[in-house]
Amino acid sequence: MSDTVLHLVEHFGYAVIGVLILAEGLGLPFPGEAALLVGAAIAGTTGRLTLAGVILTATAAAIAGAAGGYWIGASVSDERLHRWADRVGIGAHRFQRAQEVFRAHGVRSAILGRFVAVLRMLVALLAGASRMPFGEFLLYSSIGAVAWATVFGVLGYAFGSRLPWLEAMIGRTTLAVLLGVVLAATVLWLWRRRRREEAGEA
């Protein structure tokens, strides 16, 4: 867990939690998840913050970040998004794979993407770029934000004295989920491609 995030949350509380999560939703590589976990841990170990306050702050910031990220994605070209992905260290290829996952899973990506580190930063941009209806995206993104803030907030609160262990466990779980989603998207893409080829031969 970043000592910098811990220091900032200890000194500035809810404001830093909100800013980092909002920035992550806009597509910036900021440690929003770490801020949520640290805030919840502080609530559980020192009482300087409250768990309800941390969850509400994280939820509001996540929803606001998703809305902003959507309009950014809707306003710029795919080429500019690919260049941005290179600049922030994601890479155009990984961004393209994320696009394929989003197009394959749509609404589910808006919810589950909140729990996967890379997708959490990209999902709003992808929704905007693919012109998913804004109301539909915001609804399901909000459901994901509430679930994410609550689950991770409770985990941080309960295991606040073991944050490095919790972060490692979450990292492994996130990787497994991401690999599963990518595998499912690949299988679905191959299946659809084969169906189109068979339809063309008929």
Side-chain angles (χ1 to χ4, degrees):
M1 187 68 66
S2 170
D3 290 338
T4 302
V5 174
L6 178 60
H7 175 79
L8 289 172
V9 175
E10 283 180 335
H11 283 77
F12 301 104
Y14 301 114
V16 167
I17 296 171
V19 167
L20 292 180
I21 292 173
L22 174 66
E24 186 179 48
L26 294 174
L28 299 173
F30 280 42
E33 183 178 284
L36 170 57
L37 290 172
V38 167
I42 290 173
T45 56
T46 71
R48 291 173 56 192
L49 303 175
T50 68
L51 178 60
V54 171
I55 291 174
L56 287 173
T57 299
T59 300
I63 293 171
Y70 176 96
W71 290 112
I72 292 172
S75 302
V76 301
S77 65
D78 280 357
E79 182 182 350
R80 290 184 65 183
L81 287 174
H82 289 168
R83 288 202 303 269
W84 162 86
D86 276 332
R87 289 195 192 100
V88 299
I90 296 171
H93 177 71
R94 290 178 69 189
F95 185 81
Q96 187 173 353
R97 293 294 297 160
Q99 282 183 304
E100 293 170 2
V101 169
F102 185 84
R103 287 167 182 159
H105 295 279
V107 166
R108 283 171 291 182
S109 296
I111 297 175
L112 297 177
R114 175 58 55 182
F115 291 85
V116 181
V118 176
L119 287 180
R120 184 168 55 250
M121 191 172 70
L122 298 180
V123 68
L125 297 172
L126 296 174
S130 66
R131 302 301 189 270
M132 181 179 184
F134 177 69
E136 181 182 12
F137 167 73
L138 192 61
L139 171 62
Y140 289 106
S141 181
S142 298
I143 292 171
V146 171
W148 171 75
T150 301
V151 169
F152 281 63
V154 169
L155 287 174
Y157 186 86
F159 298 99
S161 60
R162 302 176 64 192
L163 276 180
W165 170 84
L166 178 60
E167 185 181 29
M169 289 296 295
I170 289 173
R172 285 195 287 270
T173 303
T174 296
L175 179 61
V177 171
L178 180 59
L179 290 175
V181 170
V182 170
L183 178 61
T186 301
V187 170
L188 181 60
W189 178 78
L190 291 172
W191 177 77
R192 286 178 173 173
R193 180 179 176 182
R194 182 168 182 176
R195 288 290 299 272
R196 287 195 299 268
E197 291 174 350
E198 289 176 349
E201 292 174 355

